[in-house]
Amino acid sequence: MAEVEDKLKDYEIKKEGEAEILMLKSNAVFFNPVQVHNRDMSIAVLRTFVTKRKEEHEALMNKRNKSHKKDIQIEASVANGDAALTSENDKMDVVNEKEPNQATNEIEDVSKEATKTPSWKVIRELKPPVVLEALAASGLRSLRYAREVDGLEKVVALDNDKASVEACKRNIKFNGSAAINKVEAHLADARVYMLTHPKEFDVVDLDPYGSPSVFLDSAVQAVADGGLLMCTATDLAVLCGTNGEVCYSKYGSYPVKGKYCHEMALRILLASIESHANRYKRYIVPVLSVFMDFYVRVFVRVFTSASEIKNTPLKLSYVYQCAGCDSFHLQSLGRTVTKNNSVKYAPGIGPVVPQECNDCGKKFNVGGPIWSAPIHDQDWVLSTLTDVRPMKDRYPAYNKITSVLTTVSEELHDIPLFFSLHSISGTVKCTSPSAVMFRSAVINAGYQISSSHVNPLGLKSDAPWDVIWDIMRCWVKNHPIKEQPRDTPGTAILSKSPQLEANFSRAVAALSKAQTKKVKRFLPNPESHWGPKVRAGRTITSKHISLLGAEAINGAIGHQDGNGEVTDKPASDTGETVTEEVNEPSTKRQKTSDGEQANEP
């Protein structure tokens, strides 16, 4: 027992779900505790994938069985007809005329063929799924998959950092036989490994520190047909419009600034994955796409079909965002033309907007292309939510993932992007109507409207922008505002008479089911300094206090005294630990939770 304690004295035990890992206090291997939301959501979706995969296989086999029985009936009817001209006696005569050894060999061959599995039964057995975690670090995610998701054959954990692979192997042993029998760790470049193992993995998980763009090309090749690709992007400063030229170089799409920027980040990532998949005659089907905390996470299934990829331009659109008001419009890349029962593909017809905005008279900024098809599969979302609810004790982040899944389940899944109620109210400089009143006005006008999981104030609607602005004109008419300068977008919008008489009487559907049942949909961060932590290998100094907090900094920073021992330096009056690096100028940038970039303090 004493020997075990001596070995563990340099490590700190971290427990999450059913897995435990040993972490060195030197930040040698990256571990981000706030990613528990990410890991829990991934486990929930992975469990749904295992279930759906079995259901789809059973449905396929039932279909093949019915087809085979039908073929047997047809063959039997033919055999009983005029086609069966050779009698049984004639067959025996033929056999007797042959050499004895030859007849015996043919009988043995027939008996062997009878014992073989029929061709229509060859794929009856469904092998357990194999999971690849391309960037494993400490291996916590792989260990949780192996211990918490039933029905997996094995989990392969990769990393190109030697210290990380050693830590991963150590953690596999620390978790006992349940992990040793299922998880294997390899020191390898994930891109090369996936390229040399095409279509071998039923699930591929990408969760890099930053952008996943360099891994996408090899990842879409490593996923088996019908498999699941899970991908995280934390570089929201790039995806949300701060660095548009960088976004285009990494993802092949140009972002525009808007309240919907985080949903646009999801759609840019999906469009990029689809682009990489199309190069290998493959395409994706999103099952769940979420913005959580400080990152976006997408779950897509990958299929192979040369004919299906022709529909990709129908799923992509450019975005025209007005520079003055909040209105935006989508321009599809392609369209289909049906003629004489044949479908032909053609370029999209445009432009969808004039040179100047019809509402405020300002110019448009163009962004994209983005994924404009649905980003969720509602059946998957509801199945995942249904499976999660009775398993509260098995999800450390149960409240967070159920709140996100609940909100996603109520979204209008076929409406790209959203607008902010407070933002459009700010455009016309009026007091914002309540969400229930505004939603009632849209519903009473004959359109659909829902909330967005991305933003508590976000609203998705199929109502055109002239209807949205007519509702705001009617609202301002009943709630007068001060006179505004003539050159503002709000003045231009309000100068027009509404063509629609808005009805703000409360509609039954104005409240979502979650609101009716008082289910929490948007939860605050569980603790302060909730966000991405310091990259592994970097020395933790007091300039990281905005990420880790003063207490964490005081526990991590030390210096060597004359005897070579590490001791903590005294804290300043403000509670920060003082180091030689405090006064060093910092030119590095750190991503913040809202997608903006800020200099490190």
Side-chain angles (χ1 to χ4, degrees), residues 88-104 106-107:
E88 192 68 20
N89 292 332
D90 293 335
K91 293 180 182 178
M92 292 301 297
D93 292 339
V94 172
V95 172
N96 292 332
E97 289 176 0
K98 294 180 181 180
E99 295 180 5
N101 293 337
Q102 185 178 355
T104 304
E106 288 187 2
I107 292 172

mmCIF file of all heavy atoms in Angstrom, residues 88-104 106-107:
data_model
loop_
_atom_site.group_PDB
_atom_site.id
_atom_site.type_symbol
_atom_site.label_atom_id
_atom_site.label_comp_id
_atom_site.label_asym_id
_atom_site.label_seq_id
_atom_site.Cartn_x
_atom_site.Cartn_y
_atom_site.Cartn_z
ATOM 1 N N GLU A 88 -36.695 -37.299 -62.340
ATOM 2 C CA GLU A 88 -35.773 -37.729 -61.308
ATOM 3 C C GLU A 88 -34.981 -38.965 -61.746
ATOM 4 O O GLU A 88 -33.801 -39.124 -61.439
ATOM 5 C CB GLU A 88 -36.561 -38.042 -60.019
ATOM 6 C CG GLU A 88 -35.684 -38.224 -58.780
ATOM 7 C CD GLU A 88 -35.032 -36.911 -58.361
ATOM 8 O OE1 GLU A 88 -35.523 -35.844 -58.765
ATOM 9 O OE2 GLU A 88 -34.012 -36.965 -57.661
ATOM 10 N N ASN A 89 -35.638 -39.855 -62.519
ATOM 11 C CA ASN A 89 -34.957 -41.059 -63.006
ATOM 12 C C ASN A 89 -33.829 -40.725 -63.962
ATOM 13 O O ASN A 89 -32.780 -41.367 -63.974
ATOM 14 C CB ASN A 89 -35.956 -41.999 -63.681
ATOM 15 C CG ASN A 89 -36.940 -42.580 -62.677
ATOM 16 O OD1 ASN A 89 -36.596 -42.713 -61.501
ATOM 17 N ND2 ASN A 89 -38.137 -42.929 -63.141
ATOM 18 N N ASP A 90 -34.085 -39.716 -64.834
ATOM 19 C CA ASP A 90 -33.044 -39.312 -65.778
ATOM 20 C C ASP A 90 -31.809 -38.819 -65.041
ATOM 21 O O ASP A 90 -30.673 -39.059 -65.454
ATOM 22 C CB ASP A 90 -33.577 -38.232 -66.713
ATOM 23 C CG ASP A 90 -34.666 -38.782 -67.632
ATOM 24 O OD1 ASP A 90 -34.663 -40.012 -67.881
ATOM 25 O OD2 ASP A 90 -35.490 -37.973 -68.092
ATOM 26 N N LYS A 91 -32.059 -38.043 -63.912
ATOM 27 C CA LYS A 91 -30.935 -37.522 -63.132
ATOM 28 C C LYS A 91 -30.110 -38.654 -62.547
ATOM 29 O O LYS A 91 -28.879 -38.622 -62.525
ATOM 30 C CB LYS A 91 -31.441 -36.608 -62.007
ATOM 31 C CG LYS A 91 -32.074 -35.325 -62.499
ATOM 32 C CD LYS A 91 -32.547 -34.497 -61.300
ATOM 33 C CE LYS A 91 -33.235 -33.216 -61.764
ATOM 34 N NZ LYS A 91 -33.732 -32.431 -60.635
ATOM 35 N N MET A 92 -30.792 -39.694 -62.043
ATOM 36 C CA MET A 92 -30.085 -40.830 -61.454
ATOM 37 C C MET A 92 -29.273 -41.565 -62.510
ATOM 38 O O MET A 92 -28.155 -42.031 -62.238
ATOM 39 C CB MET A 92 -31.090 -41.780 -60.796
ATOM 40 C CG MET A 92 -31.769 -41.189 -59.566
ATOM 41 S SD MET A 92 -30.604 -40.721 -58.284
ATOM 42 C CE MET A 92 -29.916 -42.306 -57.894
ATOM 43 N N ASP A 93 -29.823 -41.656 -63.730
ATOM 44 C CA ASP A 93 -29.096 -42.314 -64.801
ATOM 45 C C ASP A 93 -27.820 -41.578 -65.130
ATOM 46 O O ASP A 93 -26.778 -42.186 -65.385
ATOM 47 C CB ASP A 93 -29.987 -42.433 -66.040
ATOM 48 C CG ASP A 93 -31.142 -43.405 -65.816
ATOM 49 O OD1 ASP A 93 -31.015 -44.262 -64.902
ATOM 50 O OD2 ASP A 93 -32.146 -43.289 -66.550
ATOM 51 N N VAL A 94 -27.909 -40.261 -65.133
ATOM 52 C CA VAL A 94 -26.732 -39.453 -65.439
ATOM 53 C C VAL A 94 -25.660 -39.665 -64.394
ATOM 54 O O VAL A 94 -24.469 -39.777 -64.681
ATOM 55 C CB VAL A 94 -27.126 -37.963 -65.557
ATOM 56 C CG1 VAL A 94 -25.869 -37.112 -65.667
ATOM 57 C CG2 VAL A 94 -28.017 -37.752 -66.759
ATOM 58 N N VAL A 95 -26.078 -39.731 -63.138
ATOM 59 C CA VAL A 95 -25.117 -39.925 -62.059
ATOM 60 C C VAL A 95 -24.455 -41.297 -62.158
ATOM 61 O O VAL A 95 -23.247 -41.460 -61.960
ATOM 62 C CB VAL A 95 -25.812 -39.746 -60.694
ATOM 63 C CG1 VAL A 95 -24.865 -40.150 -59.561
ATOM 64 C CG2 VAL A 95 -26.269 -38.315 -60.530
ATOM 65 N N ASN A 96 -25.251 -42.312 -62.499
ATOM 66 C CA ASN A 96 -24.724 -43.674 -62.577
ATOM 67 C C ASN A 96 -23.748 -43.849 -63.718
ATOM 68 O O ASN A 96 -22.863 -44.698 -63.673
ATOM 69 C CB ASN A 96 -25.878 -44.675 -62.723
ATOM 70 C CG ASN A 96 -26.709 -44.739 -61.442
ATOM 71 O OD1 ASN A 96 -26.172 -44.481 -60.368
ATOM 72 N ND2 ASN A 96 -27.982 -45.097 -61.573
ATOM 73 N N GLU A 97 -23.940 -43.069 -64.799
ATOM 74 C CA GLU A 97 -23.046 -43.179 -65.943
ATOM 75 C C GLU A 97 -21.669 -42.608 -65.652
ATOM 76 O O GLU A 97 -20.695 -42.904 -66.341
ATOM 77 C CB GLU A 97 -23.656 -42.458 -67.148
ATOM 78 C CG GLU A 97 -24.860 -43.204 -67.716
ATOM 79 C CD GLU A 97 -25.521 -42.436 -68.834
ATOM 80 O OE1 GLU A 97 -25.016 -41.318 -69.155
ATOM 81 O OE2 GLU A 97 -26.521 -42.901 -69.374
ATOM 82 N N LYS A 98 -21.560 -41.751 -64.655
ATOM 83 C CA LYS A 98 -20.282 -41.130 -64.327
ATOM 84 C C LYS A 98 -19.400 -42.119 -63.573
ATOM 85 O O LYS A 98 -19.864 -43.137 -63.046
ATOM 86 C CB LYS A 98 -20.502 -39.884 -63.469
ATOM 87 C CG LYS A 98 -21.224 -38.780 -64.213
ATOM 88 C CD LYS A 98 -21.412 -37.585 -63.300
ATOM 89 C CE LYS A 98 -22.149 -36.454 -64.009
ATOM 90 N NZ LYS A 98 -22.357 -35.285 -63.162
ATOM 91 N N GLU A 99 -18.136 -41.760 -63.504
ATOM 92 C CA GLU A 99 -17.208 -42.593 -62.757
ATOM 93 C C GLU A 99 -17.564 -42.544 -61.279
ATOM 94 O O GLU A 99 -17.991 -41.508 -60.767
ATOM 95 C CB GLU A 99 -15.770 -42.095 -62.963
ATOM 96 C CG GLU A 99 -15.309 -42.244 -64.393
ATOM 97 C CD GLU A 99 -13.901 -41.741 -64.579
ATOM 98 O OE1 GLU A 99 -13.278 -41.372 -63.554
ATOM 99 O OE2 GLU A 99 -13.432 -41.717 -65.725
ATOM 100 N N PRO A 100 -17.356 -43.627 -60.550
ATOM 101 C CA PRO A 100 -17.737 -43.669 -59.133
ATOM 102 C C PRO A 100 -17.062 -42.575 -58.307
ATOM 103 O O PRO A 100 -17.695 -41.927 -57.497
ATOM 104 C CB PRO A 100 -17.279 -45.061 -58.685
ATOM 105 C CG PRO A 100 -17.220 -45.862 -59.934
ATOM 106 C CD PRO A 100 -16.854 -44.931 -61.028
ATOM 107 N N ASN A 101 -15.777 -42.351 -58.523
ATOM 108 C CA ASN A 101 -15.068 -41.328 -57.744
ATOM 109 C C ASN A 101 -15.595 -39.934 -58.034
ATOM 110 O O ASN A 101 -15.733 -39.098 -57.148
ATOM 111 C CB ASN A 101 -13.570 -41.382 -58.050
ATOM 112 C CG ASN A 101 -12.943 -42.661 -57.556
ATOM 113 O OD1 ASN A 101 -13.469 -43.303 -56.642
ATOM 114 N ND2 ASN A 101 -11.811 -43.059 -58.159
ATOM 115 N N GLN A 102 -15.906 -39.675 -59.314
ATOM 116 C CA GLN A 102 -16.414 -38.351 -59.696
ATOM 117 C C GLN A 102 -17.768 -38.102 -59.055
ATOM 118 O O GLN A 102 -18.043 -37.008 -58.579
ATOM 119 C CB GLN A 102 -16.508 -38.248 -61.221
ATOM 120 C CG GLN A 102 -16.906 -36.855 -61.720
ATOM 121 C CD GLN A 102 -16.939 -36.782 -63.230
ATOM 122 O OE1 GLN A 102 -16.575 -37.753 -63.907
ATOM 123 N NE2 GLN A 102 -17.361 -35.657 -63.747
ATOM 124 N N ALA A 103 -18.621 -39.115 -59.045
ATOM 125 C CA ALA A 103 -19.948 -38.962 -58.439
ATOM 126 C C ALA A 103 -19.829 -38.701 -56.948
ATOM 127 O O ALA A 103 -20.532 -37.865 -56.384
ATOM 128 C CB ALA A 103 -20.785 -40.211 -58.696
ATOM 129 N N THR A 104 -18.902 -39.412 -56.310
ATOM 130 C CA THR A 104 -18.698 -39.220 -54.869
ATOM 131 C C THR A 104 -18.209 -37.809 -54.564
ATOM 132 O O THR A 104 -18.659 -37.157 -53.618
ATOM 133 C CB THR A 104 -17.679 -40.240 -54.336
ATOM 134 O OG1 THR A 104 -18.134 -41.550 -54.657
ATOM 135 C CG2 THR A 104 -17.509 -40.118 -52.829
ATOM 136 N N GLU A 106 -18.717 -35.060 -56.321
ATOM 137 C CA GLU A 106 -19.784 -34.096 -56.523
ATOM 138 C C GLU A 106 -20.765 -34.099 -55.357
ATOM 139 O O GLU A 106 -21.252 -33.058 -54.941
ATOM 140 C CB GLU A 106 -20.521 -34.392 -57.835
ATOM 141 C CG GLU A 106 -19.718 -34.043 -59.065
ATOM 142 C CD GLU A 106 -20.518 -34.194 -60.330
ATOM 143 O OE1 GLU A 106 -21.717 -34.534 -60.227
ATOM 144 O OE2 GLU A 106 -19.952 -33.950 -61.409
ATOM 145 N N ILE A 107 -21.026 -35.292 -54.815
ATOM 146 C CA ILE A 107 -21.930 -35.372 -53.657
ATOM 147 C C ILE A 107 -21.324 -34.650 -52.472
ATOM 148 O O ILE A 107 -21.995 -33.926 -51.735
ATOM 149 C CB ILE A 107 -22.228 -36.853 -53.318
ATOM 150 C CG1 ILE A 107 -23.055 -37.479 -54.434
ATOM 151 C CG2 ILE A 107 -22.960 -36.961 -51.992
ATOM 152 C CD1 ILE A 107 -23.237 -38.976 -54.287
#
